[in-house]
Amino acid sequence: MISRRRLLAAGASTLAFPAQAQSVTSLKAVAAAKGFVFGSAAASYELKDADFVPLLLAQTAQLVPEYEMKRDALEIQPGVYDFAALDSLFAFARRGGLSMRGHTLVWYYANPKWLTPLLAARRDEKLLTGHIQAVLRRYPMESVDVVNEALAPPGTAARADGLRPSLWLDAFGPGYIDTAFHAARAAAPGTRLVYNEWGFEQGAVENDRFRATTLRFLDGLLKRGVPLDALGMQGHLSAFGNRVDQRKLRDFVAEIRARGLALLITELDVEDIGGPSDIAARDRAVADEARRFLDVVLDSPATQAVLTWNLSDRYVDAPDEWKLKLMGWRFRKTPYDTQMRRKPLWDAMAQAFAGRRVFY
Ligand code: G3I
């Protein structure tokens, strides 16, 4: 009797389950059958694409705004909001029966130009908490990235506490993070509060240091009673660069679970920079790296969601077409190509999802 895991490893597209064989056609269905959510980032301009919308509805159970919820896209002037694009995404999700997660309330980047000088002039915490309240009171979200990328990236010089210099740190000191989470809990008691970050997945020595710094950072938050529910692990992988280290990743995921935190994979994609010109070879390497990553994170009951950072290559870095042309080729980071055809990455995800053990 071939074990299910060996069957999946053989790349069977029909995933034989003990009781019945069923062809997997939807990533969200196979994820739901294993007790977690599959979703993707989406942008409002994509909702006009008749090729793309049916795919988004069929494949995902949750969306996260790629940029419409960032402060530079929302708060045109202090306290003056243009919610139109974000409203359209939430309305689309509601009509389609999809849940939403939020990204992001507090970040060192993608802030409106008026914010930095105003913070420098008035160190008024309302400039931090008012935005959190305005967004969370308007939209029901399953989870939200309260703070994104507050730590100095792997391999860069960091303060003793590991924090990245930012307008927030300058204005309010390290306590801005605690303040943000408390404000978010008060504004949206039913929403899961997430700290979102990248750099945990790979095996280089700077990633070792970064994982250790992150655990110290999280321990500090938890010790001070900060209402933190989950770690967002972005999952930006590289098929030909700094690869996933499965042992180190497994140990890190166990540390996250030991702290009683959920783990959300928030921005999964696999960069193929440095790959060969042969598209099939690049696609195979992208699929293999995603599989190596998912096999580890999905082997933990802490992992409760996997979202890709775009569902189709058509929308990867779409606004920066010049960047893609400059590189002479398109990224192939996502489960569907620019013509909305499934790629080996899709199969690798379906197999990883289906292979996840039941936890007792
Ligand atoms: O909406 C304007 C448009 O009016 C204008 O014509 C165009 C000119 O380029 O810019 C458009 O806004 C761009 C926006 O994406 C929407 O396309 C911004 O300039 C551009 O900076 C923004 O880039 C986003 C970036 O975050 C910064 O917000 C990317 O789409 C998005 O993929 C990227 O996502 C980040 C996550 O938030 C955090 N983790 C890393 C991830 C990838 O970098």
Side-chain angles (χ1 to χ4, degrees), residues 179-328:
T179 303
F181 275 92
H182 284 296
R185 180 66 95 219
T191 296
R192 186 157 31 182
L193 304 186
V194 185
Y195 173 72
N196 194 50
E197 189 60 271
W198 60 276
F200 314 116
E201 304 85 352
Q202 288 80 14
V205 66
E206 63 266 21
N207 300 102
D208 297 343
R209 292 196 194 105
F210 189 72
R211 282 184 283 268
T213 300
T214 301
L215 292 176
R216 283 196 302 276
F217 166 71
L218 295 176
D219 286 341
L221 296 178
L222 295 170
K223 199 169 79 180
R224 294 192 298 274
V226 171
L228 171 69
D229 302 314
L231 175 69
M233 179 184 284
Q234 292 183 12
H236 292 299
L237 310 180
S238 167
F240 300 98
N242 185 359
R243 306 286 304 281
V244 166
D245 182 307
Q246 289 190 309
R247 181 185 57 75
K248 293 177 180 178
L249 178 61
R250 185 179 300 278
D251 292 349
F252 182 71
V253 171
E255 292 285 356
I256 296 304
R257 185 182 180 211
R259 285 160 173 77
L261 295 173
L263 180 66
L264 311 181
I265 308 304
T266 53
E267 304 182 15
L268 177 63
D269 58 17
V270 187
E271 195 162 72
D272 53 354
I273 285 181
S277 53
D278 171 23
I279 294 280
R282 271 168 51 193
D283 282 355
R284 270 196 308 279
V286 162
D288 292 349
E289 188 67 355
R291 182 70 191 270
R292 294 181 64 245
F293 171 75
L294 289 169
D295 278 352
V296 171
V297 296
L298 289 176
D299 217 12
S300 167
T303 304
Q304 297 175 12
V306 174
L307 292 96
T308 49
W309 202 245
N310 281 302
L311 192 64
S312 161
D313 296 339
R314 181 179 294 181
Y315 290 111
V316 170
D317 293 332
D320 300 332
E321 285 293 341
W322 60 268
K323 185 161 73 175
L324 301 172
K325 287 194 180 64
L326 189 70
M327 292 186 172

Side-chain angles (χ1 to χ4, degrees), residues 45 66-67 70 103 107 109 148-149 234 236 267 309 319:
Y45 51 71
E66 182 173 13
Y67 79 97
K70 288 164 186 171
H103 173 80
W107 193 14
Y109 189 65
N148 186 50
E149 302 172 7
Q234 292 183 12
H236 292 299
E267 304 182 15
W309 202 245

Side-chain angles (χ1 to χ4, degrees), residues 2-13 15 291 351:
I2 295 183
S3 77
R4 186 172 66 206
R5 186 167 285 280
R6 278 189 56 203
L7 185 72
L8 299 175
S13 59
L15 306 170
R291 182 70 191 270
Q351 288 158 21

Side-chain angles (χ1 to χ4, degrees), residues 2 28 57 163 329:
I2 295 183
K28 74 173 167 183
L57 291 171
L163 292 182
W329 46 266

Side-chain angles (χ1 to χ4, degrees), residues 27 38-41 46 52 55-57 59-60 308-313 315 334-337 346:
L27 291 171
F38 172 69
S40 174
E46 298 166 4
F52 182 61
L55 213 55
L56 202 59
L57 291 171
Q59 294 297 321
T60 69
T308 49
W309 202 245
N310 281 302
L311 192 64
S312 161
D313 296 339
Y315 290 111
T334 71
Y336 287 86
D337 69 12
W346 190 99

Side-chain angles (χ1 to χ4, degrees), residues 7-8 11-17 20-24 351:
L7 185 72
L8 299 175
S13 59
T14 299
L15 306 170
F17 294 93
Q20 75 288 334
Q22 66 181 54
S23 64
V24 172
Q351 288 158 21

